[in-house]
């Protein structure tokens, strides 16, 4: 009599309970019938040992008769296969009143009291160690854990089901929906046999039924999915009888180490719980009969759907808010490197919500591709469960290759792209559906008479709901959306597609799905001519210049495949993951986000159109092998010509794409005071106009990448470089700034004090956001340890809340090992080095003094005291402080706590032609505590002098450049430079 698992599923309105499916289960309340306020899936969040209704029998009591047998140390009963508990009933013996055997209950013989309360009325006793009850996946013998033991890890009473289940999951063959349905059928038959054995074959009219809900109700059993079960009874049987039946159902499940979400309720209790808790109500929408009285299950299904549809105007906004809150907490699945397949926006939970909306009959979700996207996410979760052996929904980096192999996918990138595509489909469907729900609810909130009055006012020129307001030729606003005008003919107007998109974005309106579908059909039958007409190009630029409103309109076009039709090369970057912790978006979304950021900078350039197109195309080469800047230049030329730019503009766009990383890399890794640096950038850029565009593109790109890619400090470095290159291109004298060899007055003063005292002297300058160069607080520590505070010249020098960083000046009498010692001390005090500059001066002609200028920031907490920094530096220089050992201890402690992915090996190279006065050694490595200290030790061991260092940290990656010379102050010969680079690389790999 039971339906096929998952039958009748679909997103259309008017279908069965599966339309409103949810990975939830009716969660019992703490003894009073109320639903628990636990997790979103409706499971009761009871405290360990609280003995809630959904907990295992005997919770909250130390009575022996509820824990038969001797029991293990953690309090669970030891039940051997085929045997009942000592002094209790056999696991397969019928329950009293429903079978022929006597089937005694617990030794105390007393049923629990209260509606649906299956707890025994025993005297309170101590809860055994590890005996947790009522939590998700709880079973005796797991110490309250949430992860069942692997299949077949211990003998099970139902060895037939266990063996069949193991065989099904481990035998190669078709997976996906077929395996999930087969697993559900196998589990159905097993549970039905348990029920029949316990209830003596109770069927119609017995007043007892076993019901699957949630994911199990839909037949979507992944290898480690919970079994969501509801034991339904009509209230006529005694509480002891129902509790005994529940025991004989739940214990075999626990003994197979299967996660179980369970509850025992009457239909009225189930309805009350659903009214009180949305999560419980969603779970009941998927009720599916397993065994017992089918009429009881059918009645529950009918009332659950009727209640849902009646209460939909109230519950749907609550469900929408729940989805939004979860999205803000978990993020968007389509952009996460380690996505949660279930909880993140666009995941399985959202698919569940869409089906619940469809079951309400208020709105329907777009069906095209939705079921396939949902199935793909389920397939990935199945493979994740099998490869990890755990009930997890998070697709961690270290598991993606194994999951891809299990699914027969080429690699982890292809896997992530498929996951992102599925999430994007579900997210887009969610946006459309919730927008429609809002429209319907708004229309229902206006009474018919009032609606008539509003219609009358509209006819007289008011602003009623049905009014069409023109936005552009062939585009109007209707009911909060941009739609096509009645007279629009997209099949005769190929530019209408871009005109409608630009008008919607500029008006801050979503583009109607019906309009997008019409435009897609028209674009297929009559595409834009190549090259595009001028109007099409202008409309694309208008769309890109709309700011943040560009994103939803662009996503609507992408969801219908229109963008790839307009720009065929876009397909290679669509949903392409970026395996870099700095990037927060996929490649395609990063390109759009860069255009959004660039739209705010269009007033800074003479050609905003070129800036916006370059922003859209700057990473287009990431879909091809090799350097994406090089391949992107070629693609950008073709795409710019296709869009309709002339040859001169095409050349500028290609230059911007080819060199979009030039300014940020040069500013953070090169000596800006070196004439060769400025000369190289000027020769590459060519004109001041191109430099202006490149400056804006650099900032937009970095801002769109993520918070780690841009800061006031980076912006100041890029601006300094642009200023110098602009002067060079204009034929003016390049400003020298602080990068000349002449020390400042303060540096000279520190050097004199260091020479006289024979020890290091430190000065710490704190400058905050928005303060000028002379507005800072200075703390200096001399040889005697005194601290002198000197305020700058500003009249109101108030410290800002977030310092950009601090400048730390060190003057140390020249001696070996100063750089690694100083870098090690900074690492010990958890200071992150952003930049470093080293030079040697002779302040009074009596011997050299090393000047080290650091730009540092506290990793967390407050800045250390200058006196402590100096004391540790003195000890590091005289050898009494073992810096390498201290850093090694910290690194080992960090390694024990971290679960990071294996980082790629470091790479050290020589940058030829980067400087005329020094050799530039570039280091690319995983950022870590003491990295600069280790590099400094390696350079010291190589016998070279570090003239300056330029440090750049992007997320977890460190990219540092060191200007080194030989003992004569000259650049190294090529062979010697290569040997130094190799030596540093070997040191970092150790």
């Amino acid at each position: 009599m039971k339906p096929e698992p998952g039958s009748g599923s679909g997103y259309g309105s008017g279908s069965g309970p599966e339309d409103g499916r949810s990975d939830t289960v009716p969660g019992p309340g703490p003894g009073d019938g109320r639903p628990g306020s636990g997790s979103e899936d409706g499971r009761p969040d009871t405290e360990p040992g609280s003995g809630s209704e959904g907990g295992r029998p005997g919770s909250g009591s130390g009575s022996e008769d509820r824990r038969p047998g001797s029991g293990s140390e953690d309090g669970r009963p030891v039940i051997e296969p085929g045997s009942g508990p000592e002094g209790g009933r056999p696991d397969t013996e019928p329950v009293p009143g429903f079978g022929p055997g006597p089937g005694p209950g617990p030794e105390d013989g007393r049923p629990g009291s209260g509606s649906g309360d299956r707890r025994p009325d025993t005297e309170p006793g101590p809860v055994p160690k590890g005996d947790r009850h009522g939590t998700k996946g709880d079973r005796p013998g797991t110490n309250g854990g949430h992860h069942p033991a692997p299949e077949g890890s211990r003998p099970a009473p139902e060895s037939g089901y266990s063996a069949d289940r193991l065989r099904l999951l481990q035998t190669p063959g078709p997976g996906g929906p077929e395996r999930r349905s087969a697993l559900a059928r196998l589990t159905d038959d097993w549970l039905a046999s348990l029920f029949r054995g316990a209830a003596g074959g109770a069927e119609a009219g017995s007043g007892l039924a076993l019901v699957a809900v949630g994911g199990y109700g839909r037949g979507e059993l992944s290898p480690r999915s919970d079994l969501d079960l509801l034991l339904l009874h009509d209230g006529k049987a005694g509480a002891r009888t129902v509790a005994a039946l529940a025991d004989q159902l739940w214990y075999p499940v626990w003994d197979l180490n299967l996660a179980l979400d369970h509850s025992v309720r009457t239909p009225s209790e189930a309805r009350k719980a659903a009214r009180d808790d949305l999560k419980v109500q969603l779970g009941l929408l998927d009720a599916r009969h397993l065994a017992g009285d089918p009429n009881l299950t059918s009645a529950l299904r009918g009332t659950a759907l009727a209640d849902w549809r009646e209460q939909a105007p109230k519950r749907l906004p609550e469900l929408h808010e729940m989805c939004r809150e979860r999205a803000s907490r978990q993020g968007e699945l389509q952009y996460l490197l380690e996505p949660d397949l279930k909880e993140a926006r666009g995941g399985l939970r959202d698919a569940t919500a869409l089906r619940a909306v469809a079951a309400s009959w208020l709105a329907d979700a777009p069906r095209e591709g939705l079921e396939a996207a949902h199935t793909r996410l389920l397939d990935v979760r199945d493979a994740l469960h099998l490869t990890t052996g755990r009930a997890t929904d998070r697709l961690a980096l270290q598991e993606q290759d194994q999951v891809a192999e299990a699914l027969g996918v080429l690699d982890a990138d292809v896997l992530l792209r498929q996951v992102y595509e599925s999430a994007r489909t579900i997210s887009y469907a969610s946006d459309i559906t919730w927008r429609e729900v809002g429209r319907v609810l708004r229309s229902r909130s206006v009474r018919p008479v009032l609606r008539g009055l509003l219609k009358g006012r509209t006819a007289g020129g008011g602003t009623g709901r049905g009014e069409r307001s023109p936005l552009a030729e062939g585009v109007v606003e209707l009911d909060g959306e941009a739609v096509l005008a009645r007279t629009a003919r997209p099949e005769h107007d190929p530019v209408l597609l871009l005109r409608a998109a630009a008008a919607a974005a500029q008006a801050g309106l979503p583009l109607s799905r019906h309009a997008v579908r019409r435009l897609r059909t028209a674009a297929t039958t009559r595409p834009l001519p190549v090259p595009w007409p001028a109007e099409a190009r202008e409309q694309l630029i208008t769309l890109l210049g709309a700011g943040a409103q560009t994103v939803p309109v662009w996503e609507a076009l992408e969801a219908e495949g229109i963008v790839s039709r307009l720009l065929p090369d876009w397909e290679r970057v669509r949903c392409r993951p970026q395996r870099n912790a700095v990037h927060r978006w996929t490649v395609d979304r990063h390109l759009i986000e860069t255009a959004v950021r660039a739209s705010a900078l269009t007033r800074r350039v003479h050609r905003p159109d070129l800036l916006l197109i370059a922003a859209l195309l700057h990473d287009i080469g990431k879909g091809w092998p090799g350097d994406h800047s090089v391949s992107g230049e070629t693609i950008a030329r073709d795409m710019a010509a296709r869009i309709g730019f002339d040859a001169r503009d095409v050349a500028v766009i290609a230059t911007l794409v080819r060199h979009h990383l030039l300014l940020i890399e040069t500013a953070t890794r090169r000596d800006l005071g070196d004439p060769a640096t400025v000369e190289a950038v000027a020769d590459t850029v060519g004109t001041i106009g191109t430099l202006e565009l490149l400056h804006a593109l650099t900032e937009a790109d970095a801002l769109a990448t993520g918070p780690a890619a841009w800061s006031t400090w980076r912006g100041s470095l890029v601006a300094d470089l642009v200023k110098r290159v602009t002067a060079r291109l204009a034929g003016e004298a390049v400003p020298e700034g602080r990068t000349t060899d002449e020390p400042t007055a303060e540096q000279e003063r520190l050097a004199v004090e260091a020479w006289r005292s024979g020890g290091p002297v430190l000065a710490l300058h704190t400058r905050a956001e928005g303060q000028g160069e002379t507005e800072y607080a200075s703390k200096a520590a001399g040889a005697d340890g005194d601290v002198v505070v000197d305020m700058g010249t500003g009249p109101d020098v108030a410290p800002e809340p977030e310092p950009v960083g601090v400048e730390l000046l060190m003057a140390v009498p020249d001696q070996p090992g100063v750089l690694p010692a100083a870098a090690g001390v900074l690492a010990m005090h958890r200071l992150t080095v952003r930049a470093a500059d080293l030079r040697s001066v002779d302040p009074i002609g009596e011997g050299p003094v090393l000047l080290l200028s650091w730009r540092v920031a506290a990793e967390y907490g407050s800045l250390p005291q200058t006196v402590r920094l100096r004391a540790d530096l003195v000890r590091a220089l005289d050898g009494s402080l073992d810096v390498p050992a201290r850093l090694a201890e910290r690194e080992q402690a960090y390694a024990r706590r971290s679960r990071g992915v294996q980082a790629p090996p470091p790479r050290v190279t020589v940058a030829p032609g980067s400087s005329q006065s020094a050799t530039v050694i570039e280091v690319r490595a995983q950022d870590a505590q003491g990295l600069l200290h280790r590099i400094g030790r390696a350079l010291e061991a190589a016998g070279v002098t570090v003239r300056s260092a330029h440090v750049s940290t992007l997320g977890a990656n460190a990219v540092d450049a060191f200007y080194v010379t030989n003992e004569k102050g000259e650049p190294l010969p090529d062979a010697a430079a290569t040997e130094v680079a190799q030596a540093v690389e070997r040191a970092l790999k150790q």
Side-chain angles (χ1 to χ4, degrees), residues 361-374:
W361 289 356
L362 282 184
D364 196 5
R367 305 184 192 181
E368 185 176 347
L370 189 57
E371 189 63 43
H374 178 238

Side-chain angles (χ1 to χ4, degrees), residues 470-490:
L471 296 176
E473 182 183 352
V475 188
V476 298
E477 175 186 356
L478 176 64
D479 200 16
E481 291 183 326
V483 304
L484 298 185
R486 293 189 179 97
T487 58
R489 297 292 181 267

Side-chain angles (χ1 to χ4, degrees), residues 440-593:
V440 172
L441 294 181
R442 284 194 304 272
S443 67
R444 287 192 174 190
S445 65
V446 183
R447 291 180 300 178
V449 175
L450 183 57
R451 283 205 300 268
L453 293 175
L454 290 177
K455 288 181 180 178
R457 290 178 57 189
T458 301
T463 57
R465 187 178 64 86
E467 182 182 9
R468 290 171 172 257
S469 303
L471 296 176
E473 182 183 352
V475 188
V476 298
E477 175 186 356
L478 176 64
D479 200 16
E481 291 183 326
V483 304
L484 298 185
R486 293 189 179 97
T487 58
R489 297 292 181 267
E491 61 274 10
H492 301 299
D493 185 3
V495 182
L496 180 58
L497 190 159
L498 289 170
R499 191 185 310 127
Q506 289 290 333
L509 297 172
L511 194 57
S512 162
R513 179 169 176 260
H514 176 68
V516 176
R517 289 292 179 89
R518 280 192 66 190
L519 293 169
R520 183 188 66 177
T521 302
T524 303
T525 58
R526 187 179 179 183
L528 279 170
V530 178
W532 292 3
E535 184 191 358
R537 182 177 67 252
E538 292 303 316
Q539 294 297 342
L540 175 62
I541 294 168
T542 302
L543 170 61
L544 296 177
Q549 301 300 329
T550 301
V551 176
V553 175
W554 189 274
E555 287 181 341
L557 299 180
E558 259 204 316
E560 300 295 342
I562 293 177
V563 174
S564 295
R565 290 182 180 274
L566 292 174
L567 304 170
D569 290 289
W570 190 264
E571 183 64 24
R572 279 186 171 267
V573 298
R574 187 176 63 85
C575 293
R576 180 172 292 276
Q578 303 202 71
R579 294 190 174 276
N580 188 322
V582 176
H583 280 278
R584 61 181 301 186
W585 308 113
T586 54
V587 176
D588 58 338
R589 176 60 192 274
H590 170 70
L591 293 176
I592 293 301
E593 195 69 22

Side-chain angles (χ1 to χ4, degrees), residues 273-581:
R275 286 193 301 268
D276 293 340
D277 193 334
L278 174 62
K279 304 158 192 174
V280 176
Q281 190 169 34
L282 293 174
L284 289 180
L285 296 179
D286 291 310
R288 180 169 62 86
H289 184 70
L290 294 180
D293 190 345
N295 297 326
L296 203 60
T297 305
S298 178
L300 177 65
R301 285 163 55 98
T303 55
L305 268 175
D307 290 346
W308 174 245
R309 288 163 183 160
E310 179 185 356
Q311 300 169 15
K314 171 187 175 184
R315 306 312 291 268
L316 285 180
E318 185 181 346
L319 177 60
H320 189 200
E321 180 59 30
M322 184 187 300
C323 292
R324 287 189 295 191
E325 189 277 332
R326 188 182 65 250
S328 65
R329 186 177 67 252
Q330 298 290 342
E332 297 191 61
L333 195 157
Q334 59 180 316
Y335 303 126
L336 297 172
L337 274 178
E338 291 187 314
D340 189 309
L341 301 173
K342 190 174 185 179
E343 302 291 343
R345 182 175 185 268
L348 297 172
R349 288 276 190 218
D350 280 342
T352 291
L354 290 179
R355 299 178 73 121
V357 172
S360 71
W361 289 356
L362 282 184
D364 196 5
R367 305 184 192 181
E368 185 176 347
L370 189 57
E371 189 63 43
H374 178 238
T375 299
R376 184 179 300 166
L377 292 184
L378 287 173
D379 291 346
V380 175
R381 184 172 70 168
D382 287 358
L384 181 62
H385 285 189
L386 289 174
T387 56
T388 63
R390 293 182 288 110
T392 179
D393 297 312
R394 186 168 297 280
L395 187 58
L397 286 173
Q398 63 267 25
E399 292 152 0
Q400 291 172 6
D401 287 319
Q402 291 177 285
V403 173
E405 183 180 358
L407 292 172
V409 177
L410 179 62
D411 56 27
D413 281 351
V414 176
L415 170 68
L416 276 184
R417 191 172 186 182
Q418 292 181 356
V419 169
Y420 292 163
E421 289 173 344
S422 300
R424 190 166 293 187
T425 299
I426 295 174
S427 295
Y428 178 59
S430 297
D431 291 340
I432 293 176
T433 302
W434 288 118
R435 197 160 65 232
E436 178 65 13
V437 168
R439 186 191 66 79
V440 172
L441 294 181
R442 284 194 304 272
S443 67
R444 287 192 174 190
S445 65
V446 183
R447 291 180 300 178
V449 175
L450 183 57
R451 283 205 300 268
L453 293 175
L454 290 177
K455 288 181 180 178
R457 290 178 57 189
T458 301
T463 57
R465 187 178 64 86
E467 182 182 9
R468 290 171 172 257
S469 303
L471 296 176
E473 182 183 352
V475 188
V476 298
E477 175 186 356
L478 176 64
D479 200 16
E481 291 183 326
V483 304
L484 298 185
R486 293 189 179 97
T487 58
R489 297 292 181 267
E491 61 274 10
H492 301 299
D493 185 3
V495 182
L496 180 58
L497 190 159
L498 289 170
R499 191 185 310 127
Q506 289 290 333
L509 297 172
L511 194 57
S512 162
R513 179 169 176 260
H514 176 68
V516 176
R517 289 292 179 89
R518 280 192 66 190
L519 293 169
R520 183 188 66 177
T521 302
T524 303
T525 58
R526 187 179 179 183
L528 279 170
V530 178
W532 292 3
E535 184 191 358
R537 182 177 67 252
E538 292 303 316
Q539 294 297 342
L540 175 62
I541 294 168
T542 302
L543 170 61
L544 296 177
Q549 301 300 329
T550 301
V551 176
V553 175
W554 189 274
E555 287 181 341
L557 299 180
E558 259 204 316
E560 300 295 342
I562 293 177
V563 174
S564 295
R565 290 182 180 274
L566 292 174
L567 304 170
D569 290 289
W570 190 264
E571 183 64 24
R572 279 186 171 267
V573 298
R574 187 176 63 85
C575 293
R576 180 172 292 276
Q578 303 202 71
R579 294 190 174 276
N580 188 322

Side-chain angles (χ1 to χ4, degrees), residues 661-747:
L661 297 175
L662 174 66
L663 295 183
I664 190 68
E665 288 185 345
T666 303
T668 57
R669 304 176 192 174
R670 294 292 180 266
D671 185 353
L672 303 188
D674 193 327
T677 299
V678 176
E679 189 76 22
V681 175
D683 291 344
T684 300
V685 174
T687 67
I688 294 178
T690 303
L691 178 64
E692 177 187 73
L693 290 168
L694 191 59
H695 186 191
L697 176 59
T698 299
E699 182 173 342
D701 182 19
L703 289 171
T705 297
W710 192 253
S711 64
T712 304
W713 168 73
R714 291 178 183 275
S716 65
L717 292 180
V718 172
D720 187 17
L721 175 61
V722 170
K723 180 180 179 182
R724 294 168 183 274
V725 176
T726 300
R728 168 66 180 77
L729 292 173
E732 302 171 357
V734 177
E736 295 181 347
R738 286 190 52 195
T739 55
T740 60
D741 291 334
E742 292 298 324
T744 64
E746 182 186 19
Q747 290 174 337

